[in-house]
Amino acid sequence: MSPRHLIGFLGSKVRLAAPCPEDCMRLSRFTDDYEYLRNMDTDIAIPLTPDETGSSSVRRDNGFEFALRTLEGNRFIGFTALYRIEWNNRSARLAIGIGEENDRGKGYGSDALTLILRYGFHELNLNRIALEVIEYNEAARRAYLKAGFREEGRQRSAVLRDGMHYDLISMSILAEEWSAQSGLPLSFQSTHTPQSGDMVAGGFSQRNGNEQAALSLSELSSVPKGESEISPRIGVGAVILNERGEVLLAWRNRQPEQHTWSIPGGKVDPYESLETAVIREIKEEVNLDIAIDSLLCTAETIQPQQKEHWISVLYSTKVIGGHARNLEEGGAIGEIGWFPLNDLPSPLACFAVPGLEAVKKMYNQN
């Protein structure tokens, strides 16, 4: 790609701009927001004066800070920074903040994240960018995972808020992972070679007897290509039971297995663990926060006419937050509902049947 076609400071919603003196006033007002402070830092929450904000501390910490301005209206909405840069190790830490509550959840943060990662890996020639996110800041954690970050570990009970202890999650992204995620080239080869025991996003891959949850993405996708050069795709699904023992099903509007009732789920993104994928998909599709109880089985969907071949890993899960509602109206799924295990609607998606049968067996044994 020619650099003439790549404007490094310009995204689809925001741009990276030089901080201005008046921005310090806005940053200071942001710190009047208790939630903003609680998500941004693990330190004691206290409003800051304009003199205590700004980029001077970032520059002292060997870093680069940008103001975030909207393309529409040129409004100052926050900041992003790469700091604590170790040039010898080609590593840095990342910070990003959207100040006003009304500006959150509108894609500004994700667009800014795309820009600052590109700046770090292309302009600064970094190999690793890391950050920390507090356990309860789930929106930020999902955004980082979607951008290609991986969880590396947790500092247990490192943050005390309102009488509750929370983990501090360490995450990072390497240049080669960002390149694969973004499709943009690198000018160097990373020396990192993934090993079978490497941590993946969402935790360690574990081998447990004959359970197939231990299968890595590379193992699942190693089926040889056929003459049509269509490779199997990797999916996840969740059998979600409520307190009445009913299972959540969704009507499929699209292929694969169009016009059937199925358990919610979806595809695994590059560099995303299976468990992270199923938790993300359920939140994005039906607005539920889930916890995984156990692996159920794997399932295959093979439809040569539609050029569809899916290998899916199915989990037994429980709801820990949210209320079920269709977040994809007019999209892949239509009506959703809770159904007794002994009175399921038809037709059922072939993909869902093995998981539902496995849960029925477990439920009857209990």
Side-chain angles (χ1 to χ4, degrees):
M1 177 181 295
S2 168
R4 296 177 181 176
H5 299 136
L6 189 63
I7 303 175
F9 298 140
L10 192 65
S12 60
K13 293 177 178 288
V14 300
R15 65 184 181 93
L16 304 182
C20 300
E22 57 267 27
D23 294 342
C24 294
M25 294 294 296
R26 292 292 305 279
L27 283 172
S28 176
R29 288 200 295 271
F30 292 165
T31 65
D32 291 336
D33 185 335
Y34 192 71
E35 183 180 357
Y36 173 84
L37 288 175
R38 286 308 208 192
N39 285 329
M40 283 299 301
D41 203 347
T42 62
D43 206 349
I44 297 170
I46 184 171
L48 301 175
T49 68
D51 290 340
E52 292 171 322
T53 64
S55 59
S56 59
S57 61
V58 171
R59 288 196 297 269
R60 286 197 303 269
D61 213 7
N62 198 20
F64 299 83
E65 182 175 355
F66 296 93
L68 296 177
R69 295 189 176 277
T70 61
L71 297 188
E72 184 178 349
N74 197 37
R75 291 188 303 111
F76 173 78
I77 61 169
F79 77 97
T80 185
L82 291 169
Y83 65 105
R84 294 186 193 171
I85 297 177
E86 298 177 0
W87 296 110
N88 56 322
N89 295 319
R90 292 174 47 212
S91 68
R93 300 188 65 80
L94 169 68
I96 187 169
I98 304 296
E100 300 287 351
E101 183 178 359
N102 291 338
D103 288 327
R104 299 171 199 155
K106 295 184 177 180
Y108 294 140
S110 296
D111 197 37
L113 188 57
T114 298
L115 289 173
I116 196 64
L117 288 179
R118 190 168 69 195
Y119 183 83
F121 290 124
H122 270 181
E123 192 70 21
L124 303 182
N125 205 30
L126 297 173
N127 182 58
R128 168 186 160 87
I129 296 176
L131 56 84
E132 291 176 338
V133 61
I134 305 172
E135 179 182 10
Y136 57 70
N137 194 353
E138 184 62 22
R141 191 182 73 88
R142 286 199 304 269
Y144 296 139
L145 288 172
K146 188 173 182 179
F149 281 81
R150 302 189 187 190
E151 288 189 13
E152 294 182 324
R154 290 175 177 244
Q155 300 175 46
R156 296 177 299 162
S157 298
V159 181
L160 177 63
R161 293 284 155 83
D162 304 318
M164 295 281 292
H165 279 99
Y166 298 92
D167 294 349
L168 189 62
I169 304 171
S170 299
M171 307 180 75
S172 74
I173 184 171
L174 301 181
E176 62 185 6
E177 296 164 349
W178 170 82
S179 178
Q181 178 92 345
S182 65
L184 296 173
L186 293 175
S187 60
F188 62 90
Q189 290 293 324
S190 171
T191 57
H192 173 73
T193 302
Q195 303 296 320
S196 59
D198 273 2
M199 181 178 283
V200 295
F204 287 99
S205 176
Q206 300 176 348
R207 298 199 179 272
N208 182 13
N210 293 325
E211 289 189 354
Q212 294 169 317
L215 291 176
S216 67
L217 293 184
S218 59
E219 289 172 319
L220 284 170
S221 60
S222 61
V223 180
K225 294 182 179 181
E227 293 180 359
S228 63
E229 294 297 314
I230 299 298
S231 297
R233 303 174 71 184
I234 310 305
V236 287
V239 178
I240 307 170
L241 296 177
N242 63 17
E243 66 279 0
R244 298 184 299 276
E246 298 169 326
V247 64
L248 182 67
L249 298 179
W251 179 256
R252 291 205 54 80
N253 288 330
R254 298 178 183 172
Q255 294 292 352
E257 304 203 61
Q258 186 178 22
H259 299 155
T260 62
W261 288 97
S262 182
I263 59 176
K267 70 179 182 66
V268 179
D269 289 338
Y271 304 107
E272 183 179 37
S273 74
L274 299 171
E275 292 189 0
T276 299
V278 73
I279 291 171
R280 173 185 56 77
E281 283 286 348
I282 301 313
K283 184 65 174 179
E284 292 177 352
E285 281 192 358
V286 293
N287 193 44
L288 291 178
D289 298 304
I290 61 168
I292 295 173
D293 285 331
S294 64
L295 170 81
L296 290 173
C297 57
T298 58
E300 276 195 303
T301 302
I302 302 176
Q303 296 179 324
Q305 297 84 355
Q306 286 80 34
K307 295 184 178 180
E308 295 279 2
H309 185 178
W310 288 85
I311 302 173
S312 300
V313 180
L314 309 185
Y315 293 93
S316 172
T317 68
K318 61 184 178 184
V319 177
I320 59 174
H323 299 282
R325 62 187 181 94
N326 182 5
L327 297 182
E328 296 189 1
E329 291 185 7
I333 64 174
E335 180 185 355
I336 66 171
W338 297 96
F339 298 89
L341 282 171
N342 60 359
D343 189 19
L344 296 176
S346 63
L348 288 172
C350 295
F351 146 79
V353 170
L356 292 169
E357 291 299 322
V359 166
K360 283 183 185 179
K361 186 176 180 180
M362 291 169 53
Y363 206 78
N364 291 334
Q365 288 175 346
N366 295 332

